[in-house]
Amino acid sequence: MSGVPYSGLKEARDGSEVPVCGTLSLHSSYNPVREAEQFARQFDSNTDFFIIQGLAGGYHIEALTKQFPAATIVAIECTDSAIDYLSAIPCVQRLTQNPSVCITDIDSASDVLKRIFQPVKYRHLQIAGLRAWEELFPNDAARLTRVIKEALSDISADFSVQSHFGGLWQRNIFSNLKLVAKAQKQNRYQYDFSAPKGKTAAIIAAGPSLDSTAKILKSNRESFFIIATDTAYSALLARGITSDACISIDAQQISHTHFFETRKETLFIFDICANPAAVRRIFESGLRFTCVETGHPLSRLAATCGSFPCFHHLETGNGTVTVAAAACAKAAGFTDIACFGADFAYLNGKPYTAGCYLDVLYNSKSVKTETAEAQFSRLMFRTEVTKTENGITTPVLTSYKEGLEVFMAGNGFTKGKANYAENQKHVSVWKSASVSKGIHGSPFNLTQFLSEALREENEVLLLPYAAWLGRKRPELKYKEILMLAKTHTLEYTDANEI
């Protein structure tokens, strides 16, 4: 059978079926169950999550389920075909019926781990391999080690963000959804957003090259539908350019400072997790706005609380607002996208374009002993930097650039050529042959959302908030953290605030 590295099954002395590769067996030829019990005894009694390299006959995994009945186990085999082949073994058949065991192949391992392993829930992880499997299949073992390492690195980074922002997201979601419900009752909420025919979506970030490329936007204004990131919105206004749309996904309080000055011609697009002070400012100003969701479980629940999906889902890759703007353009149906100010580098000694909020903030605080230039320099050199053609960059900025490129390529866009006579090197152009249907929403049912958010079985909805609580209260066990998260959630459901 293709993709199956095993040559057959043989019966051990105790009657157990054991997979073999050539003349070598993956378990003891005498008593694989007793051998498996010895395997299980090597681990700390506090272990609550196992990643096991090698399924084979499954005896070592079944021993773990008996010694650690409360633990979750992910067992990883070479291929899906190998798993099917091994499923003829009674022990493996029993494992497939055990809800605490997940069996997967190397190709699917990363996705499975990212879905199942929650650091706030599982505090003691063990990674172990079946020695015979690792020795017989060294290439698979080496590849699997890399897959596990990369997956855990991504999970760790995501958990770090959750533990930092989980509290903010929770508050923001409930506050923003109440604003959405009010805006809908007053017919002040925009449900749909589609690309105008014949226009290029101009994505505007706040990089320093915008100082020189903004003139392209002005001289070709009728050719563009301008979607500004929140950091670039005021910088465009300072140049006499009003954006057609502006997107904000930042949960932090500082983001509302981008909207001190606004224009009624702009459609404001907010992630449901965005800072509610910004959303409230737009709502109270009587301006048009719409909301999207970017993957937070509570936001995704909110999108289902209506007759049709209430909020469009945006894939934002590494979570930068520039990628969110590109995702918005793609979802709206634009096939041509041009990115301005998306430098992901500090050019000509500047970290941002003139007119953005940091430019205003630092200049307002500038004195002889602490100039704006000194403040910007401290910002640029706060981490390790690398030289580029026109300036410097950092590992974080490089990852943001790669995130945008991965998103565009993954959504059918290829690099195009700019038709602008000047400053072309600072404008990236992307083209796609596929057309999306646009962003559409329907009335949101706040009462239904509040009811669903508190259902006992929906603990996954509270995991980002639980991660934040876990960092604040490390002495608490997971069940205690979850109970506290539910108690805090009740505080957002006051009927008088709806």
Side-chain angles (χ1 to χ4, degrees):
M1 185 185 295
S2 177
V4 177
Y6 301 100
S7 56
L9 302 175
K10 77 174 186 179
E11 188 174 301
R13 289 275 184 94
D14 67 352
S16 303
E17 283 192 274
V18 175
V20 296
C21 180
T23 59
L24 301 175
S25 64
L26 275 290
H27 301 278
S28 168
S29 298
Y30 294 89
N31 195 326
V33 174
R34 186 168 60 197
E35 177 191 56
E37 290 170 350
Q38 294 174 348
F39 173 86
R41 281 197 290 268
Q42 67 180 299
F43 300 108
D44 188 280
S45 60
N46 291 324
T47 305
D48 53 13
F49 197 99
F50 289 93
I51 300 174
I52 302 299
Q53 302 182 72
L55 169 63
Y59 301 105
H60 55 309
I61 297 166
E62 189 168 61
L64 288 175
T65 65
K66 294 176 180 178
Q67 182 136 341
F68 302 89
T72 295
I73 303 169
V74 175
I76 307 171
E77 186 50 64
C78 301
T79 63
D80 191 50
S81 298
I83 295 172
D84 289 341
Y85 180 79
L86 296 169
S87 294
I89 300 173
C91 180
V92 174
Q93 293 174 10
R94 292 193 296 271
L95 291 175
T96 61
Q97 302 301 314
N98 190 324
S100 67
V101 177
C102 176
I103 300 172
T104 188
D105 65 333
I106 297 176
D107 289 339
S108 303
S110 181
D111 290 339
V112 168
L113 289 173
K114 290 176 183 179
R115 175 171 54 85
I116 295 178
F117 182 60
Q118 297 287 345
V120 66
K121 183 175 183 178
Y122 302 106
R123 306 290 184 86
H124 302 281
L125 166 69
Q126 285 280 2
I127 304 171
L130 183 64
R131 181 176 297 178
W133 186 90
E134 293 175 331
E135 291 176 351
L136 286 169
F137 313 123
N139 292 335
D140 288 315
R143 182 163 75 95
L144 178 53
T145 297
R146 291 194 298 271
V147 168
I148 293 172
K149 183 178 180 180
E150 290 171 4
L152 292 179
S153 177
D154 289 344
I155 291 170
S156 177
D158 185 54
F159 178 69
S160 177
V161 174
Q162 289 187 33
S163 63
H164 185 77
F165 289 106
L168 269 180
W169 289 337
Q170 175 101 338
R171 182 205 66 179
N172 293 357
I173 289 168
F174 281 98
S175 297
N176 286 333
L177 290 176
K178 289 174 182 179
L179 284 170
V180 168
K182 288 181 180 179
Q184 290 182 153
K185 286 181 180 178
Q186 299 175 20
N187 295 317
R188 294 167 55 193
Y189 182 84
Q190 182 160 327
Y191 294 99
D192 302 323
F193 169 41
S194 297
K197 290 184 179 179
K199 291 204 172 187
T200 295
I203 304 302
I204 316 300
S209 70
L210 190 62
D211 290 347
S212 59
T213 58
K215 64 180 71 173
I216 296 175
L217 296 170
K218 268 197 165 184
S219 59
N220 298 273
R221 183 63 184 87
E222 293 305 312
S223 301
F224 293 118
F225 185 95
I226 297 177
I227 304 175
T229 61
D230 49 5
T231 52
Y233 183 69
S234 59
L236 290 179
L237 287 180
R239 295 171 170 84
I241 302 172
T242 298
S243 304
D244 297 293
C246 175
I247 187 166
S248 180
I249 65 173
D250 192 354
Q252 300 174 94
Q253 183 73 14
I254 190 67
S255 64
H256 84 284
T257 62
H258 304 312
F259 305 109
F260 285 154
E261 185 180 359
T262 54
R263 295 289 186 273
K264 65 180 181 180
E265 294 84 2
T266 304
L267 169 65
F268 294 90
I269 303 166
F270 293 101
D271 183 355
I272 298 174
C273 295
N275 184 263
V279 183
R280 189 176 299 109
R281 178 178 291 276
I282 299 305
F283 169 70
E284 292 177 349
S285 299
L287 302 176
R288 296 178 300 142
F289 78 97
T290 192
C291 287
V292 295
E293 58 91 1
T294 57
H296 190 291
L298 274 176
S299 298
R300 306 218 56 173
L301 171 66
T304 68
C305 293
S307 55
F308 186 79
C310 306
F311 308 106
H312 188 88
H313 175 69
L314 287 187
E315 291 289 347
T316 59
N318 55 14
T320 65
V321 69
T322 304
V323 174
C328 190
K330 164 67 177 175
F334 288 97
T335 56
D336 293 340
I337 296 177
C339 296
F340 293 76
D343 305 314
F344 304 108
Y346 304 140
L347 305 182
N348 303 316
K350 292 188 63 177
Y352 290 101
T353 186
C356 71
Y357 80 106
L358 277 180
D359 194 42
V360 175
L361 177 65
Y362 286 175
N363 278 295
S364 68
K365 293 182 177 180
S366 181
V367 294
K368 287 184 178 180
T369 56
E370 182 68 5
T371 64
E373 289 78 6
Q375 296 175 72
F376 276 122
S377 293
R378 188 163 57 248
L379 173 67
M380 289 188 289
F381 294 101
R382 69 190 186 278
T383 60
E384 179 184 354
V385 298
T386 304
K387 286 187 178 181
T388 66
E389 181 181 354
N390 297 313
I392 57 175
T393 189
T394 69
V396 171
L397 291 176
T398 299
S399 71
Y400 291 164
K401 179 181 180 180
E402 292 171 349
L404 176 62
E405 292 173 346
V406 167
F407 172 83
M408 299 302 280
N411 283 273
F413 285 88
T414 56
K415 278 282 185 73
K417 201 169 185 180
N419 297 319
Y420 318 118
E422 52 189 343
N423 302 309
Q424 289 189 44
K425 68 178 181 179
H426 292 306
V427 180
S428 58
V429 176
W430 301 83
K431 295 180 179 293
S432 173
S434 62
V435 182
S436 299
K437 295 180 179 179
I439 294 174
H440 304 286
S442 68
F444 164 68
N445 188 322
L446 179 60
T447 302
Q448 180 187 349
F449 167 74
L450 294 176
S451 174
E452 290 286 329
L454 295 172
R455 284 172 54 190
E456 187 71 24
E457 62 269 28
N458 278 348
E459 69 176 56
V460 68
L461 301 173
L462 301 175
L463 284 177
Y465 185 61
W468 179 79
L469 281 176
R471 183 170 66 92
K472 296 288 185 180
R473 301 287 302 277
E475 76 280 5
L476 296 180
K477 296 180 179 178
Y478 173 66
K479 291 296 183 183
E480 296 171 323
I481 291 173
L482 198 61
M483 183 60 67
L484 187 59
K486 290 181 178 180
T487 301
H488 287 182
T489 301
L490 285 169
E491 298 173 4
Y492 293 99
T493 61
D494 185 350
N496 294 324
E497 296 182 16
I498 298 175

